[in-house]
Amino acid sequence: MAEGNETYHVPVLLTESVDGLNIGDGGCFVDVTFGGGGHSREILSRLNGKGRLYSFDQDADAERNADGLDKSGFTFVRSNFRFLKNFMRFYGEEGIDGLLADLGVSSHHFDDSERGFSFRFDGKLDMRMNQRAGKTAADVVNTYDEKRLADIFYLYGELRQSRKIAAAIVKARQGKRIETVADFLDVVKVFFRSEREKKDMAKVFQALRIEVNHEMDALRDMLKGAADMLKPGGRLVVITYHSLEDRMVKNMMKTGNVEGREDKDFFGRVNTPFRLVNRQVIVPSDEEMARNPRSRSAKLRIAEKL
């Protein structure tokens, strides 16, 4: 691939998130979203050869970005981050000192017309982060029944027109299979007013991407794994981009579960494995948002394991 890691994905809230890990003299850290490697490189520079970093990504292009890194103290794990706990045990790690997750989709994926992540380019309706396995977005829109499609667009895209969109898809695919981004747009564009078209189309594509990659289930498993693997004093640092994932992260940090169920002790205190480090979310500066428009919806949350 000709493009460098700088164009693959500009790391969001780089200094603030790595500061949040509170890296001291060595330790074991995990970056569960390697992408272009920006956060991992910063973590390695602060470890200065005295600790270990495991970086997860299931994308083949991300793995190639890791080729140039100094391998002393660094391990790339080509896997979904939902298997965090399994791999830490595989590598003999009984606990970790910090975990960073940047849940944003890499700019590279949106700009690659062959991956089908963006409505800006025509191409196969794929959307798989891991192209070695799983259903594509085309499989979803051509095989799911109307109710299931409506639920996806409502729950993951928060679209009020979810039922109408689902009905139109089911009707359209009776004529021919929906294979490409252009095929899909021909069906759904009619439901969006011109002044909101880009925002609503982004929601539709977000909903499909979340379903294809089982993102909410993977996030739930990763957060639970992080709670189990972090040592006392270890840091959980997560950058979110939409309300669904942000709610899950916030709930985990406040209550110890992604549903937000409060288990209180005799004195009415919530039993949670975490202490919030920043009670108010950290957002990018105006300068960062001007440099990197994809950072505009980013929220950074940090918690410490008790």
Side-chain angles (χ1 to χ4, degrees), residues 21 28 33 58 67 69 90 116 129 139 177 180 191 207 216 219 226 239 265 280 298 301-302 306:
L21 289 172
C28 177
T33 47
Q58 58 188 334
D67 288 345
L69 268 68
F90 173 77
M129 294 292 186
D139 293 329
R177 183 176 165 88
T180 67
F191 294 102
M216 297 298 100
L219 179 57
I239 304 169
D265 64 16
Q280 298 295 322
R301 297 183 184 274
I302 306 169
L306 296 172

Side-chain angles (χ1 to χ4, degrees), residues 56-128:
F56 283 67
D57 208 297
Q58 58 188 334
D59 188 79
D61 292 337
E63 186 173 19
R64 284 190 280 273
N65 287 333
D67 288 345
L69 268 68
D70 180 359
K71 294 303 188 290
S72 59
F74 172 74
T75 301
F76 182 86
V77 183
R78 188 173 174 191
S79 176
N80 191 300
F81 59 38
R82 73 188 307 170
F83 303 115
L84 164 72
K85 193 172 177 179
N86 306 55
F87 276 97
M88 291 299 93
R89 294 287 167 81
F90 173 77
Y91 286 109
E93 302 291 354
E94 294 301 318
I96 60 177
D97 296 286
L99 180 146
L100 188 150
D102 177 356
L103 301 179
V105 178
S106 293
S107 311
H108 161 79
H109 289 130
F110 283 118
D111 295 336
D112 185 346
S113 60
E114 296 178 5
R115 301 294 291 270
F117 282 94
S118 173
F119 55 86
R120 293 182 294 129
F121 311 106
D122 192 20
K124 291 182 179 178
L125 199 61
D126 192 319
M127 297 195 192
R128 290 173 299 169

Side-chain angles (χ1 to χ4, degrees), residues 164-199:
K164 292 180 179 178
I165 294 169
I169 290 170
V170 170
K171 182 178 180 180
R173 74 192 189 194
Q174 291 171 358
K176 68 164 188 170
R177 183 176 165 88
I178 300 168
E179 291 281 4
T180 67
V181 171
D183 292 341
F184 184 66
L185 290 178
D186 284 344
V187 178
V188 301
K189 278 183 77 171
V190 66
F191 294 102
F192 307 124
R193 299 195 305 271
S194 57
E195 66 270 20
R196 286 191 51 86
E197 185 177 86
K198 287 185 178 179
K199 280 191 174 183

Side-chain angles (χ1 to χ4, degrees), residues 67-289:
D67 288 345
L69 268 68
D70 180 359
K71 294 303 188 290
S72 59
F74 172 74
T75 301
F76 182 86
V77 183
R78 188 173 174 191
S79 176
N80 191 300
F81 59 38
R82 73 188 307 170
F83 303 115
L84 164 72
K85 193 172 177 179
N86 306 55
F87 276 97
M88 291 299 93
R89 294 287 167 81
F90 173 77
Y91 286 109
E93 302 291 354
E94 294 301 318
I96 60 177
D97 296 286
L99 180 146
L100 188 150
D102 177 356
L103 301 179
V105 178
S106 293
S107 311
H108 161 79
H109 289 130
F110 283 118
D111 295 336
D112 185 346
S113 60
E114 296 178 5
R115 301 294 291 270
F117 282 94
S118 173
F119 55 86
R120 293 182 294 129
F121 311 106
D122 192 20
K124 291 182 179 178
L125 199 61
D126 192 319
M127 297 195 192
R128 290 173 299 169
M129 294 292 186
N130 179 3
Q131 291 191 296
R132 297 176 296 179
K135 291 185 177 74
T136 66
D139 293 329
V140 169
V141 299
N142 284 288
T143 63
Y144 281 22
D145 65 34
E146 186 175 321
K147 181 182 184 305
R148 193 172 179 188
L149 284 171
D151 287 346
I152 289 167
F153 294 127
Y154 183 75
L155 293 172
Y156 298 156
E158 300 177 300
L159 288 155
R160 286 178 294 179
Q161 316 97 310
S162 60
R163 293 185 183 280
K164 292 180 179 178
I165 294 169
I169 290 170
V170 170
K171 182 178 180 180
R173 74 192 189 194
Q174 291 171 358
K176 68 164 188 170
R177 183 176 165 88
I178 300 168
E179 291 281 4
T180 67
V181 171
D183 292 341
F184 184 66
L185 290 178
D186 284 344
V187 178
V188 301
K189 278 183 77 171
V190 66
F191 294 102
F192 307 124
R193 299 195 305 271
S194 57
E195 66 270 20
R196 286 191 51 86
E197 185 177 86
K198 287 185 178 179
K199 280 191 174 183
D200 287 337
M201 285 306 310
K203 289 181 177 182
V204 171
F205 275 66
Q206 170 185 291
L208 273 181
R209 190 200 76 229
I210 289 172
E211 174 64 18
V212 166
N213 296 288
H214 307 289
E215 291 180 26
M216 297 298 100
D217 292 334
L219 179 57
R220 179 182 292 105
D221 291 346
M222 185 275 286
L223 291 171
K224 187 177 185 307
D228 292 341
M229 291 302 301
L230 281 164
K231 301 173 185 176
R235 293 287 183 87
L236 176 61
V237 178
V238 187
I239 304 169
T240 66
Y241 294 82
H242 60 76
S243 60
L244 299 174
E245 62 191 15
D246 187 61
R247 189 178 307 123
M248 291 173 70
V249 172
K250 180 173 66 175
N251 285 342
M252 174 58 77
M253 290 181 174
K254 287 187 173 181
T255 67
N257 60 80
V258 297
E259 294 80 17
R261 296 188 309 270
E262 292 188 346
D263 174 30
K264 296 183 179 180
D265 64 16
F266 178 79
F267 299 101
R269 295 171 298 202
V270 176
N271 291 315
T272 173
F274 294 107
R275 176 188 70 84
L276 297 179
V277 173
N278 60 319
R279 293 195 170 276
Q280 298 295 322
V281 293
I282 298 169
V283 297
S285 65
D286 292 340
E287 292 75 17
E288 178 171 4
M289 286 190 279

